[in-house]
């Protein structure tokens, strides 16, 4: 489900898509627990990371749970923990993506003046999908980019849930 180089053409893959059992994913630095609750009941976790000159860095994170009910109950604690990584944030409307979604835009966690961070979280069945963009003061990061990225990621998750090979991606972004 994690986007790869084919899903975001023209961008450099800084970290190939990798997913492991939660304990191993944490030890490899593929995910983080900003609070104890944000990592409870996660079975598998992983990420992929993309870079491009004069573009923001984009990180895709996935947390897989045993079932839909567990993912539903994890949604709020995970969102609370991760949305705190975007200081001075304001809500961004993603429309209808997945079973539930939220997004914020604000300053990057680096607190460098002029930096920007965007974060979305989408639940599709038993998985939570986080998409994070970070840009320095010299790089533009439009709020609409998080919508495009989160939508493609959710489409990939839905394709996998439906037993299809994930193929959703983005054109020129």
């Amino acid at each position: 489900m994690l986007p790869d180089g084919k899903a975001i053409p023209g961008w450099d893959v800084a970290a190939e898509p990798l997913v492991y059992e939660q304990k191993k994913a944490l030890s490899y630095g593929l995910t983080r627990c900003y609070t104890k609750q944000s990592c409870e009941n996660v079975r598998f976790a992983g990420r992929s990371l993309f870079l491009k000159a004069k573009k923001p860095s984009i990180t895709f994170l996935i947390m897989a749970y045993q079932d839909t009910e567990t993912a539903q109950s994890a949604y709020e604690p995970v969102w609370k923990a991760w949305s705190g990584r975007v200081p001075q944030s304001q809500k961004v409307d993603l429309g209808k993506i997945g079973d539930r979604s939220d997004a914020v835009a604000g300053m990057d966690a680096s607190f460098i003046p002029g930096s920007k961070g965007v974060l979305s979280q989408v639940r599709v069945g038993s998985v939570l999908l986080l998409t994070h963009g970070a840009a320095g003061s010299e790089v533009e990061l439009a709020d609409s980019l998080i919508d495009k990225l989160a939508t493609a990621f959710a489409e990939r998750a839905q394709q996998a849930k439906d037993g299809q090979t994930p193929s959703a991606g983005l054109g020129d972004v």
Side-chain angles (χ1 to χ4, degrees), residues 87-110:
Q88 301 175 358
S89 64
Q90 295 183 9
K91 188 170 177 60
V92 173
D93 183 10
L94 293 179
K96 176 68 173 125
I97 300 176
D99 299 314
R100 182 174 177 191
S101 63
D102 285 286
V104 291
M107 184 177 257
D108 180 57
S110 68

Side-chain angles (χ1 to χ4, degrees), residues 12-29:
D12 296 326
V13 179
E16 291 288 338
L18 291 173
V19 177
Y20 292 105
E21 289 183 338
Q22 173 72 343
K23 187 175 180 178
K24 194 171 189 177
L26 284 166
S27 72
Y28 286 166

Side-chain angles (χ1 to χ4, degrees), residues 5 7 10 28 30 54 63 72 112-113 124 132 139 143 147 150 155 160 167:
Y28 286 166
L30 298 178
K54 300 189 184 205
M63 292 181 228
Q72 285 173 329
I112 295 172
V124 176
H132 180 255
V139 176
D143 293 353
D147 184 8
E155 287 172 359
S167 62

Side-chain angles (χ1 to χ4, degrees), residues 22-166:
Q22 173 72 343
K23 187 175 180 178
K24 194 171 189 177
L26 284 166
S27 72
Y28 286 166
L30 298 178
T31 190
R32 289 194 170 87
C33 295
Y34 292 112
T35 65
K36 182 181 175 187
Q37 287 181 321
S38 70
C39 281
E40 285 181 355
N41 301 313
V42 176
R43 294 184 67 201
F44 299 93
R47 76 150 194 242
S48 59
L49 173 64
F50 296 83
L51 302 171
K52 186 174 181 179
K54 300 189 184 205
K55 295 279 190 177
S57 66
I58 304 296
T59 304
F60 295 94
L61 299 146
I62 186 169
M63 292 181 228
Y65 297 86
Q66 178 176 336
D67 52 39
T68 298
E69 294 75 27
T70 306
Q72 285 173 329
S73 67
Y75 191 95
E76 284 299 326
V78 171
W79 181 243
K80 184 177 179 182
W82 281 85
S83 62
R85 306 301 304 157
V86 182
Q88 301 175 358
S89 64
Q90 295 183 9
K91 188 170 177 60
V92 173
D93 183 10
L94 293 179
K96 176 68 173 125
I97 300 176
D99 299 314
R100 182 174 177 191
S101 63
D102 285 286
V104 291
M107 184 177 257
D108 180 57
S110 68
F111 285 102
I112 295 172
S115 68
K116 185 166 184 182
V118 293
L119 176 75
S120 71
Q121 178 174 292
V122 178
R123 185 182 64 78
V124 176
S126 64
V127 297
L128 295 182
L129 312 166
L130 289 101
T131 306
H132 180 255
S137 59
E138 304 295 317
V139 176
E140 183 172 332
L141 176 54
D143 293 353
S144 61
L145 180 60
I146 199 69
D147 184 8
K148 293 175 186 175
L149 295 167
T151 298
F153 197 9
E155 287 172 359
R156 292 177 71 82
Q158 187 63 52
Q159 288 169 331
K161 183 180 171 188
D162 294 343
Q164 303 167 1
T165 301

